Amino acid sequence: MKRFIYYADLFFAFIKLYFKRIMIYKLDFLLGVIPLILTQIIELFFINIVFLNTQTIKGWTLHQVLLLYSFFIIASGLENMFFYSLTQLKTYIFQGALDIVLIRPINEIFYIIIQEFNYYAIGQVFFGMFMLVYAIQNLNIVITIKTIILICYFIFIATIILAALTLASVSFFLITEGTFSPTNIITSLQQFLKYPITIFNRYIQAILTFIIPLAFVSFIPSTYLLDKNMSLLSICSIELLVALIMTCIGTCIFYAGLKKYQGVGN
């Protein structure tokens, strides 16, 4: 328990440090946030174009798709904000910075995570929250304290799943000595999260559910909020189980890669 408190204190200490940087370089922060928000607006524009020619897509209305998409936007923004350093693992390897990580008296994955926070993603998170509120207001979803807690839980789990997938994919750089990683493949698959996975063929649905479980990021939580076709205990347990499994897989791949890592020195 003491170790957990120690890591939590260290994590929040680094967050405070990076937010102080925001206060110092406000213009730099705005110049970083605005392009991300514009990107989301453009993507929403294209989604809206799709619904100009049809009322529903496989039974999903515009506002239902926006609900689904907002889950992905928020979780992706949080993952990009707090776990951005994981994507820099290849740079750590080639620049020799990973050697320094390995000699620190702290967990290697945790140390890499706290090296940098992408605070520009704050704009993406707030835009996603605005879109989530807008979608809920136009759907038959009753807002209660229970619903708010459940939505926060879904977003938290979705963020962990995305971070675990990032960890697993970038860890292949350790195994392949920086020559290959499925990161681009996973990033491409995330584009399917803009729409309900039921509009794709069964093979893609199977991949997004059982192999690379991106469906648990947005589609399944949205389906539960709209239809409640599962018990609350079941959906929460399944989401948590998927997050734990993916975290274990990512961690195992990382440490398997570390066993093969030989450093950049002589």
Side-chain angles (χ1 to χ4, degrees), residues 102-206:
L102 297 178
I103 64 174
R104 299 293 187 188
I106 191 173
N107 179 271
E108 296 85 357
I109 297 174
F110 180 80
Y111 185 78
I112 292 173
I113 289 173
I114 64 176
Q115 288 308 293
E116 187 174 358
F117 294 99
N118 184 13
Y119 44 82
Y120 297 134
I122 293 176
Q124 179 179 340
V125 174
F126 278 103
F127 184 82
M129 292 172 62
F130 171 79
M131 190 164 57
L132 177 65
V133 172
Y134 172 77
I136 288 175
Q137 287 180 338
N138 288 274
L139 295 168
N140 295 322
I141 298 176
V142 179
I143 297 298
T144 62
I145 295 177
K146 178 182 175 181
T147 304
I148 294 173
I149 293 174
L150 184 60
I151 290 173
C152 291
Y153 175 80
F154 284 149
I155 292 172
F156 173 77
I157 293 296
T159 304
I160 298 301
I161 292 174
L162 290 177
L165 285 170
T166 298
L167 175 62
S169 61
V170 300
S171 295
F172 276 88
F173 282 127
L174 291 168
I175 298 174
T176 62
E177 298 180 350
T179 58
F180 170 76
S181 167
T183 302
N184 291 334
I185 297 174
I186 293 177
T187 301
S188 298
L189 287 173
Q190 288 182 7
Q191 301 305 310
F192 289 107
L193 299 184
K194 298 176 184 178
Y195 303 96
I197 65 172
T198 49
I199 70 174
F200 306 110
N201 64 53
R202 59 183 180 179
Y203 300 108
I204 293 179
Q205 292 183 42

Side-chain angles (χ1 to χ4, degrees), residues 83-95:
F83 300 94
Y84 173 77
S85 284
L86 291 176
T87 63
Q88 306 302 305
L89 183 60
K90 184 177 181 180
T91 303
Y92 276 69
I93 295 171
F94 285 123
Q95 292 184 351

